[in-house]
Amino acid sequence: MDLETLLSYEWGIMTPEFIILGVATALSLMDLFMPKSQSRKILGWVGFAGVLAALVSLLGLIGHGPESILLDTFRLDSFAKAFKLLLLIGSAMVLLIATGYEPNEGLEEFRGEFFYLFMAALLGAMIMSSSGDLITLFVGLELLSISSYILAGMRKRNLHSNESAMKYVINGSIATAITLFGMSYVYGLTGTTNLKEMAGFLTSVYNEQHIYLLGLAFFMIVVGLSFKLAAAPFHMWAPDVYQGAPTPVTAFLSVVSKTAGFIIMIRILFSIFANAPSGDAQGLPMILALQDYVAFLAGATMIIGNLIALRQRNIKRLFAYSSIAQAGYLLVVIASMSLFMFDTLWFYLGAYLFMNLGAFAIIQHVTHKSGSEDISQFAGLYRRAPFLAIAMAIFLLSLAGIPGTAGFIGKLNIFMGALVPSEGHYVLVSIMIATTVVSYFYYFGVMVQMFFRPAGDTGKVKIPAALTAVIGISLAATILFGVAPNIAFDFLQGNFNQFTDFFQ
Amino acid sequence: MSLLHLAIISPFLLAILVPIAYKLFRQIHTGWFVLPLPILLFSYFISYLSITSNQQSVTKSFSWIPTLGIDFTAKVDGLGLLFALLITGIGALVVLYSIYYLDKNKEKLNTFYVYLLLFMGAMLGVVLSDNLIVLYTFWEFTSFSSFLLIGYWYHREKSRYGAQKSMIITVFGGLSMLGGIILLYLMTGTFSISEIIAQSDEIFSHALFVPALLCILLGAFTKSAQFPFHIWLPDAMEAPTPVSAYLHSATMVKAGIYLVARMSPVFAEHSLWLWLIAGFGITTLFWGSFSAVKQTDLKAILAFSTVSQLGMIMSLLGIGAAALHFETVEDSIFTVATTAAVFHLINHATFKGSLFMVAGIVDHETGTRDIRKLGGLMNFMPITFTLAIIGTFSMAGLPPFNGFLSKEMFFTGMVRVLEMDIFNLDTWGFLFPVLAWVASVFTFIYSMILVFKTFTGKFQPEQLEKKPHEAPIGMLISPIILASLVIIIGFFPNIISNTLISPAQAAIMPVEGYVYDTHIYFWHGFTPELFMTLGVITLGILLFVTLPKWRSVYNLFPEKLALNRFYDSMLEVSQRASFNLTKLYMNGFIRTYLVYIFSFFIVALAATLVLKDAFKFDTSEVATIHYAEVLLALVIAAASVSILFVKSRMTSIILLGAVGYTVSLFFVIFRAPDLALTQLVIETISVSLFLLAFYHLPKLRHEERMGFKMTNALISVGVGAIVTMIALSAHSNKMFPSIAKYYVENTYKEAAGKNMVNVILVDFRGFDTMFEITVLGIAALGIFAMIKLRLEGGKKNENK
């Protein structure tokens, strides 16, 4: 490749990534040269500013048509733009949460690392959302994963944190190995790592043996990627890691990292397998032939997440299982493969981002005050801090899918998407409804604590400004998208046109 | 957005202002700020009477979520208006009553009125929405505000229990209703009730019709406390009495009835609709009245009585649906059942509302609601006693009160079931009048218990917490208004017949171009219904007097079969199951998790291999195998296996190294010296790093080494076998020439490099390499952070 072609690429479409990369580098240098005694909080604000700048540059690119550079390894299509938007908004809010995080132990001296590792993880996620090549996708995934492993172990003198990082690394590497194994089969069959070329090549595969191998590859990729989503069968790490990791990291894992997981899943599954034949008589594409398999995972994930959450007393573990269950709902979207799959997924992930981050901001504040993560810390919150209690109640209602909140509209979309196709997924929807009822028990359990219990500690609580901002934004968005979801739908329709350029 | 929409959301708006008013004016009871709204709304809705009494309707719509076809369409027709008037009318009376019932100095009035206003707005939304999704939204709001109101006195354990129970049951029903709504959408392509009704003929034979019907009914039955879902209602009585009067007798529990009435035009032609609604209704009627007799708490009696009366209205709606089966609805003898349903709905709201308020007064003035402690209050509170007489006699179906009229019509409807020759009703149909009659006898008995055990008999001042006296006038106004309505409607039923009843009926059973005309008469002559009523009174008095003698009947019913038991044990079982599942499944050991993951891996892949017959082993393209290669393979195998059996860690590492070194020998044989060299270097580094790391770790004690575990052996063998098989079949499927050739040809030509591996790394896949370097950089940072810990660590460990 000569210089001329290199310069001919439209590098502008990578602006958000360059900004994040630059900020990450700058942060690590700043951390290096700053005196030891100085607070690293400023790094958080620099990072926050960087993410905002990336967000602005991304918004500037929204009108940009689909474009790909570097031999299709980097592509900017509607899908990439829409989901990067979620990643950046989520990250900005997590950074705000992190600046307000002042645990009793551990993190202070490693705060600098926290921020630039965080930026690196974000970069990985962004690369994943706009890659057209299997290897770049995988590298993005690894960048995100490895950063996350370290982030999870940030509270170094906390045994829980150590344990969580350990479990995360071991589980993660196995998952990665399986994914990679699956990917290598797709590569072996097609001889290319470019997603578009793969798809083109696979349309002409008719040898039964090859189709079976492709099916195996599909299984392995899905199994491996389910790790990032914290979905069955790779969900076991979630409770331990969520509990052990610092709360901002937990928030990051449950929202940004999960979103990234769905991004790579969609990218790979729908680019590669959407056009591959499944070998059955009707000429069904492979992805439709195997959708029962995804449906099975979705069902199992919803059941496991919701059932086990019933008994949790630790609020972070409770939210870990809740996030497993939520991943199950999101898998229903993928399993049902309706026409509006991308819109539904985007909307639910967006709603989930706000309601979960809002809840985590409150969790961090409440648990940090007392040092205990037991659910009883929420007792009488309504008496102590009515604003926090009402906000938390709305986030919980939204997670439970009660009307009037963004979570409900998201769930309604999922139901409709699952039932509208000619062969509706009735079983899956029934499971979803039944497990939703189960989820009421634990979501309302927290509400009962907040509203119907006397307060143990009567001291008024002062909330840091950054947390107030996160809670306020989340609250506004949760209600706004619940009451006027059309803002989001119009935005999607106006700018992304049903993601038709995904397959181009 | 029109004035009508504003009326629906005005309670929500006021709810935002209430806490402010509470803060600013602590001396004034917050209820006074709330009271004007329901009065205003009531008069606003009265103005719609002129439209609906012509059996017309008004529709105002604005687009809410056009993408999903959801418009906030508000529609006022006879049925909706009837409910709106009930909600605002009873609402105003309840707010007035609560001002005297709740002490402004002791209670948290701001939360109470916020919850109450939330409910009022939500309930108005339910009955005035034409869009099913909007209806569902408000429906869940009513459940939620009911949850908050039942738990209002949260310091009581029973309040919390009741709140949770009502929430779980009604929200479960709500969700299944949502399922039904979506099914309806799938059939018709719209969420609008009017449009669905317009298409009802076409969807009748659709495969999803019956599932949709069942889902919707489940929602209605849970909300309206129909057997066996009625168990939440008695526990909901922990709420303050004004709430019980408002939500749990007059309005919210009637939302299920509203839904059934509203959806009748869609479903009523199906025999299931009739059978289920009439069947569940009559069972609820019987079971509610039967259970009410054994209660000792005034509010519990009223709760079971509400359950039974709801069942009665429900069964009437079911029977009334039969009218839609015949060519002409106009002169069908079954329309009387629907008329009775609407009529009784109004009557029930009046007499039950006043009775709840009476029970509240008794509780407020004596400190107890237990009828075993009460008695002889007649002399202390004569006005309350009079009100109680009016309410209970109406409930028992005695003339001249309104309850008598609707009870007569109810009997008429049930007797006419005998003439029904559709849906096999000629076989089991006789049960309806029989059960109706028996239930009425029990209704009579508990009505008598309610009034006479409380107000007559022996006065027991030592049992009471306070010295009883008549209630303040403010508390009496509301029940007096309701009791007057009981009498006025009793004497002049026709003032509401064509203003409220007929329009509602027109909405339940719409017939093109037909105007319902209802007249309610006092005297029908010596009809079977009259004799049934006489029988009820005679047998009722007899049984009431002899109650102590046959009371033990209730002990015969085994406690274990009680539905509440079932609900509680269900909670317990699910908790225990979750606990056991957690203990068994999520036990925190990473090796257990690995077992799951690998088992899943083996099962999924092996199943595909076997089921699809995908295994293929093609030796045609395999190069000949030399003895040296066999030897090396054997060495690798032997080294790997012996790792399992050696005792010391050092030996295991060295054996692992041996495996790696042998692999590099393969590269030598395959004439790839540079690769062999790389492999050798990597192997050496990793072995020495391993040795270094283990040197610093504490020594393993002998007993810590794991013994032989069958599962682990199976899993490791399984993973190995599967991976080998897949690798073999992959190798046997070559689709294109290897990419190697491309690099050989192009390395120099395209990239002007002579070392092929280097060119691939820095040029062909340069972008990937860059990111890989980033990854390594991150890993290095991680290691750096760990080293920092090593240097500063050990200072303190917070877990110690």
Side-chain angles (χ1 to χ4, degrees), chain B residues 360-381:
Chain B
I361 290 172
V362 171
D363 187 14
H364 203 259
E365 303 305 327
T366 65
T368 181
R369 301 192 307 245
D370 191 331
I371 52 170
R372 288 166 301 190
K373 296 181 185 168
L374 294 166
L377 294 180
M378 186 168 64
N379 301 325
F380 299 95
M381 18 175 84

Side-chain angles (χ1 to χ4, degrees), chain A residues 1 14 36 70 73 105 109-110 113 116-117 120 123 127 133 135-136 139 142-143 146-147 150 156-159 163 166-167 170-171 174 178 181 185 187-191 193 201 205 209-210 212-213 216 219-220 223 233-236 239-240 293 296-297 304 307-308 310-312 321 382-383 397 402-404 408-409 412-413 415-416 419-420 426 433 436-437 440-441 444 447-448 451-454 482-486 489-490 493, chain B residues 64-68 70 108 111 115 133 136-137 140-141 144 147-148 151-152 154-155 160 163-164 167-168 171-172 175-176 178-179 182-183 185-186 191 208 567 570-571 574-575 578-579 581-582 585-586 588-590 593-594 596-598 600-601 604-605 608-609 612-616 723 726-727 729-730 733-736 739 750 763 765 767-768 771-772 774-775 778-779 781-782 784-786 788-789 792-793 795-799:
Chain A
M1 190 184 291
M14 274 183 92
K36 248 195 151 100
L70 292 171
T73 44
E105 90 286 324
E109 55 201 294
F110 309 110
E113 279 94 333
Y116 52 79
L117 286 173
L123 183 64
I127 293 292
D133 191 282
I135 294 194
T136 324
V139 173
E142 278 306 272
L143 192 56
I146 294 179
S147 312
I150 306 170
K156 289 177 193 128
R157 276 186 272 291
N158 181 317
L159 278 185
E163 182 191 345
M166 182 72 187
K167 284 185 175 165
I170 294 180
N171 272 316
I174 294 171
I178 295 178
F181 196 36
Y185 276 95
Y187 168 71
L189 280 170
T190 58
T193 53
F201 189 88
V205 171
Q209 292 291 327
H210 297 165
Y212 297 145
L213 282 178
L216 287 175
F219 283 145
M220 287 189 277
V223 167
F234 254 123
H235 59 278
M236 294 88 170
D240 291 319
Y293 174 72
F296 171 77
L297 287 188
I304 292 171
L307 261 190
I308 300 186
L310 279 181
R311 275 295 291 208
Q312 299 306 321
Y321 286 107
Y382 183 59
R383 319 281 136 188
L397 289 178
I402 297 287
F408 167 69
I409 304 289
L412 183 66
N413 271 332
F415 282 144
M416 306 261 287
L419 291 177
V420 167
Y426 297 105
I433 287 187
T436 300
V437 173
Y440 291 155
F441 280 96
F444 287 117
M447 302 244 289
V448 166
F451 289 93
F452 294 164
R453 297 268 175 189
V483 175
N486 241 65
F489 293 135
D490 288 345
Q493 229 137 51
Chain B
W64 185 30
I65 317 176
T67 326
L68 297 176
I70 299 171
K108 282 254 174 197
T111 44
Y115 298 163
I133 292 291
Y136 169 74
T137 304
E140 294 292 48
F141 274 13
F144 184 60
F147 165 77
L148 290 170
Y152 177 65
Y154 59 85
H155 45 84
R160 295 198 295 265
Q164 195 194 32
M167 185 79 190
I168 295 295
V171 174
F172 157 72
L175 263 185
S176 100
L178 178 64
I182 294 176
L183 291 179
Y185 177 80
L186 296 183
F191 285 121
L208 295 177
Y567 171 82
M570 197 189 73
L571 281 190
S574 67
Q575 290 274 319
S578 168
F579 179 66
L581 191 65
T582 317
Y585 179 55
M586 299 295 295
F589 289 116
I590 199 157
Y593 298 167
L594 295 185
Y596 303 142
I597 292 167
F598 283 123
F600 186 84
F601 181 81
L605 296 185
T608 326
L609 272 180
K612 300 251 173 176
D613 192 20
F615 181 66
K616 189 178 163 196
V723 172
I726 295 175
S729 21
N733 288 289
K734 272 229 172 76
M735 305 178 66
F736 47 82
I739 193 170
E750 298 266 327
D763 192 315
R765 307 226 59 99
F767 195 54
D768 305 326
F771 276 107
E772 197 55 59
T774 320
V775 171
I778 298 298
L781 283 174
F784 172 66
M786 268 196 253
K788 224 157 114 186
L789 166 79
E792 297 165 24
K795 279 194 297 205
K796 51 184 177 188
N797 188 328
E798 45 123 3
N799 294 88

Side-chain angles (χ1 to χ4, degrees), chain A residues 31 36-41 101-113 154-155 157:
Chain A
D31 187 42
K36 248 195 151 100
S37 53
Q38 203 172 339
S39 163
R40 295 297 196 257
K41 222 171 202 178
Y101 183 64
E102 277 156 6
N104 303 326
E105 90 286 324
L107 196 58
E108 198 44 52
E109 55 201 294
F110 309 110
R111 231 199 165 82
E113 279 94 333
M154 268 287 161
R155 278 156 71 193
R157 276 186 272 291

Side-chain angles (χ1 to χ4, degrees), chain A residues 224-384:
Chain A
L225 289 182
S226 67
F227 170 78
K228 271 271 154 274
L229 319 178
F234 254 123
H235 59 278
M236 294 88 170
W237 59 274
D240 291 319
V241 174
Y242 279 36
Q243 186 186 355
T247 312
V249 177
T250 312
F252 173 78
L253 292 181
S254 74
V255 173
V256 181
S257 174
K258 198 181 283 266
T259 307
F262 277 101
I263 288 171
I264 189 172
M265 192 128 173
I266 296 267
R267 266 284 179 216
I268 294 189
L269 295 191
F270 287 86
S271 302
I272 301 179
F273 298 99
N275 295 319
S278 66
D280 82 343
Q282 287 109 44
L284 217 55
M286 173 158 277
I287 192 129
L288 286 178
L290 291 177
Q291 77 190 131
D292 283 348
Y293 174 72
V294 182
F296 171 77
L297 287 188
T301 309
M302 289 189 285
I303 292 173
I304 292 171
N306 280 315
L307 261 190
I308 300 186
L310 279 181
R311 275 295 291 208
Q312 299 306 321
R313 294 285 306 172
N314 180 301
I315 187 80
K316 277 164 86 182
R317 282 187 91 83
L318 180 84
F319 265 75
Y321 286 107
S322 143
S323 91
I324 293 175
Q326 302 281 344
Y329 305 148
L330 284 159
L331 276 177
V332 174
V333 183
I334 296 188
S336 47
M337 291 172 201
S338 74
L339 210 57
F340 298 100
M341 183 181 72
F342 291 123
D343 304 66
T344 309
L345 199 66
W346 188 85
F347 188 88
Y348 199 87
L349 277 170
Y352 174 71
L353 182 158
F354 288 114
M355 60 204 184
N356 222 37
L357 283 184
F360 266 113
I362 294 173
I363 289 174
Q364 168 177 324
H365 186 67
V366 170
T367 56
H368 163 231
K369 265 267 136 191
S370 57
S372 154
E373 285 166 0
D374 194 83
I375 208 170
S376 62
Q377 292 306 321
F378 282 84
L381 189 67
Y382 183 59
R383 319 281 136 188
R384 281 184 286 155

